[in-house]
Amino acid sequence: MDSLIERFLEGDRRALARVISRVENETAEGRECLRALYPRSGRAHSIGVTGGAGSGKSTLTGALAAAFRRRGHTVGIVAVDPSSPFTHGAILGDRIRMQDLTLDPGVYVRSMASRGALGGLAPTIDDVVAVMDAFGFDYVIIETVGAGQDEVEIAGTALTTVLVNNPGTGDDIQAMKAGILEIADVLVVNKADHPGADVLVSQLQALLTLSPAGSRRPPVLKTTATRGEGLDALADAIDEHRAYLESSGELERQRAIDSRHQVLSIARAILLERIRQATPEEELESLVQQVAARRLDPHSAAESLAARLRA
Amino acid sequence: MTAPSTATKIRVLIAKPGLDGHDRGAKVVARALRDGGCEVIYTGIRQTPEMIAEAALQEDVDVVGLSILSGAHLELFPRIVDEMKKRGLDDVLLFCGGIIPEEDTAALSGLGFQAIFRPGTNTQDIVKFVFEHVKK
């Protein structure tokens, strides 16, 4: 165990891979690794890349990593794809769009399955990002599952959230709805070589003028990731957002909010596990049956489970 | 729908080395393993031995399955195994499939490939093989 962490700290990529697996599988060793490594995290800038399925997130993530590499920075990438709700299996195919990075010693790409988590991420995403951060990457890019309107969790994991849009995917009312657009720090219109890109850029800009006065207005950028176009401007916009976070005091505030959220959500999982352990399967099954037969409401059933903790 | 599971999953890399561009077989196998409950990393076609070994390292996979139709397996597979050993990946379960003549079986098992799946294989046999042989 100690030797694994030693090798990790020496920069051994195999050790990094092993630590990530232990953390992802939530083993006791994984928690031990995290305890040792967490104090070393907090230096990397984390970037979330989110947007619809097929919007070009993987290609954009790869091209953005290449842009940071040209500037001499190192990059860790975590790419999340969905797990099957039925078999829990997954096809993780984001690497296909990042082939050019595979043999670059300054880049590490890890695919993660969502394993039942909601919100386009994976249950242990924050831990895996912390591990990559502790390994010493300058940037950690998190690519979400294809997100629709409401997958906003990425904003609590990444410091800068990049929302990827495409021309031809709905009118401007779509973009006015509450949800994902509100969490974007940088807006990207990818596949900008397709018709309608300029119209979408102006629609997004027009919408942003409706934001409350005094709030930071996210930039809207055009990219064609398959050709590497617009990536330097995107890298600049991300660095500018980082500078804004630091100078405005927003960085400290966001970190505090994210940490609170993380601690509470882990506490929630621990409590649920304790309730499960304190409840015989037959009792749970009987409550579930009563709810299914509409003799009991689900809130009362949950209350009686929670009451077992006090006993 | 069953409860979400975060238990340890079998991670499999399915890769196609060399220049043949037909990956239907590899995709069918990837899909079967997904339906069997594995997390399958699919890297696409035209992978060099170095790329396959490096992806196996970064993804910390338990299993690597190689698909090949070009006839270059005795050329490419030893190089892949070599690149994996160089990176300390000596405990990964290896299997392969595709157009592989019977007379090459001994050479491939000598390299560490524990199974060769040829055209006509039932995909369930591949899933069963992975679950029975993986070290967890």
Side-chain angles (χ1 to χ4, degrees):
Chain A
M1 194 60 215
D2 287 346
S3 79
L4 180 65
I5 289 179
E6 261 166 46
R7 287 193 291 126
F8 179 101
L9 295 176
E10 284 162 9
D12 178 344
R13 290 154 73 85
R14 178 107 203 271
L16 168 62
R18 284 274 150 106
V19 169
I20 292 176
S21 298
R22 283 164 170 74
V23 165
E24 188 185 15
N25 291 328
E26 301 184 77
T27 62
E29 287 166 310
R31 267 191 289 278
E32 216 176 295
C33 291
L34 207 58
R35 204 175 306 134
L37 297 173
Y38 199 80
R40 294 174 181 270
S41 68
R43 276 174 283 191
H45 186 66
S46 53
I47 302 157
V49 176
T50 192
S55 60
K57 293 182 297 299
S58 301
T59 308
L60 190 78
T61 297
L64 178 62
F68 284 131
R69 288 296 290 142
R70 286 195 293 275
R71 298 173 179 199
H73 301 298
T74 57
V75 186
I77 297 172
V78 194
V80 188
D81 266 332
S83 296
S84 159
F86 302 106
T87 66
H88 307 319
I91 298 277
L92 311 176
D94 293 321
R95 292 188 80 93
I96 297 174
R97 315 277 175 224
M98 306 176 193
Q99 306 271 5
D100 299 346
L101 303 171
T102 304
L103 295 177
D104 181 340
V107 179
Y108 178 97
V109 182
R110 182 68 174 229
S111 311
M112 277 183 94
S114 63
R115 296 192 182 181
L118 300 174
L121 294 168
T124 54
I125 190 81
D126 290 314
D127 297 339
V128 170
V129 171
V131 167
M132 284 209 178
D133 183 342
F135 194 74
F137 293 110
D138 299 319
Y139 294 88
V140 177
I141 309 180
I142 304 120
E143 184 198 332
T144 73
V145 169
Q149 298 179 310
D150 200 28
E151 284 88 347
V152 297
E153 276 76 358
I154 184 64
T157 292
L159 290 170
T160 299
T161 300
V162 177
L163 176 64
V164 185
N165 302 270
N166 300 133
T169 51
D171 64 13
D172 54 349
I173 299 299
Q174 289 302 331
M176 275 178 80
K177 292 178 182 170
I180 202 159
L181 199 71
E182 294 177 273
I183 59 155
D185 300 305
V186 178
L187 286 160
V188 166
V189 173
N190 189 39
K191 305 189 187 179
D193 53 336
H194 289 211
D198 289 322
V199 176
L200 180 56
V201 169
S202 359
Q203 283 175 344
L204 290 169
Q205 277 165 341
L207 276 168
L208 293 168
T209 61
L210 303 176
S211 312
S215 62
R216 178 187 168 274
R217 201 166 290 171
V220 183
L221 305 171
K222 282 198 291 184
T223 59
T224 305
T226 47
R227 294 194 208 138
E229 287 168 15
L231 273 307
D232 277 312
L234 176 57
D236 287 341
I238 289 165
D239 286 346
E240 279 159 24
H241 181 246
R242 167 78 188 203
Y244 157 79
L245 289 176
E246 283 176 3
S247 64
S248 63
E250 205 37 41
L251 188 69
E252 304 309 314
R253 209 180 69 89
Q254 199 172 322
R255 281 201 167 133
I257 294 173
D258 295 346
S259 301
R260 164 184 282 264
H261 178 78
Q262 230 186 309
V263 169
L264 288 176
S265 93
I266 295 167
R268 193 178 307 133
I270 292 173
L271 284 178
L272 180 61
E273 189 50 37
R274 291 205 182 140
I275 290 172
R276 292 297 297 264
Q277 276 169 8
T279 313
E281 185 54 36
E282 315 81 71
E283 168 151 355
L284 177 59
E285 188 53 34
S286 129
L287 283 169
V288 167
Q289 289 301 337
Q290 290 177 60
V291 173
R294 298 295 194 271
R295 286 196 302 275
L296 183 68
D297 72 283
H299 293 271
S300 308
E303 284 289 348
S304 84
L305 285 187
R308 299 191 71 93
L309 280 188
R310 269 176 254 131
Chain B
M1 205 146 79
T2 45
S5 161
T6 55
T8 300
K9 285 270 174 269
I10 298 174
R11 286 170 70 86
V12 187
L13 178 73
I14 296 292
K16 271 196 74 68
L19 294 177
D20 69 88
H22 177 82
D23 65 346
R24 174 83 188 151
K27 283 176 177 157
V28 167
V29 171
R31 174 62 200 260
L33 289 166
R34 184 204 95 172
D35 290 341
C38 298
E39 293 180 352
V40 184
I41 294 109
Y42 184 61
T43 56
I45 57 174
R46 302 203 179 97
Q47 301 284 302
T48 65
E50 293 83 358
M51 285 163 87
I52 292 171
E54 187 59 32
L57 178 144
Q58 293 182 14
E59 300 288 355
D60 194 26
V61 293
D62 310 293
V63 186
V64 171
L66 302 175
S67 162
I68 196 157
L69 306 170
S70 65
H73 45 280
L74 291 184
E75 174 65 33
L76 292 168
F77 287 9
R79 288 173 50 202
I80 294 167
V81 171
D82 200 43
E83 289 293 333
M84 287 178 66
K85 285 201 175 124
K86 248 194 241 173
R87 289 169 173 78
L89 305 174
D90 41 21
D91 56 353
V92 177
L93 175 64
L94 292 173
F95 73 91
C96 59
I99 310 296
I100 295 170
E102 287 292 342
E103 62 257 39
D104 295 340
T105 303
L108 293 176
S109 46
L111 278 173
F113 287 87
Q114 295 203 27
I116 302 171
F117 297 105
R118 295 185 168 86
T121 303
N122 184 332
T123 54
Q124 285 316 302
D125 292 340
I126 302 178
V127 175
K128 196 163 159 254
F129 161 80
V130 164
F131 275 83
E132 281 172 2
H133 290 79
V134 75
K135 296 183 196 94
K136 266 292 175 191

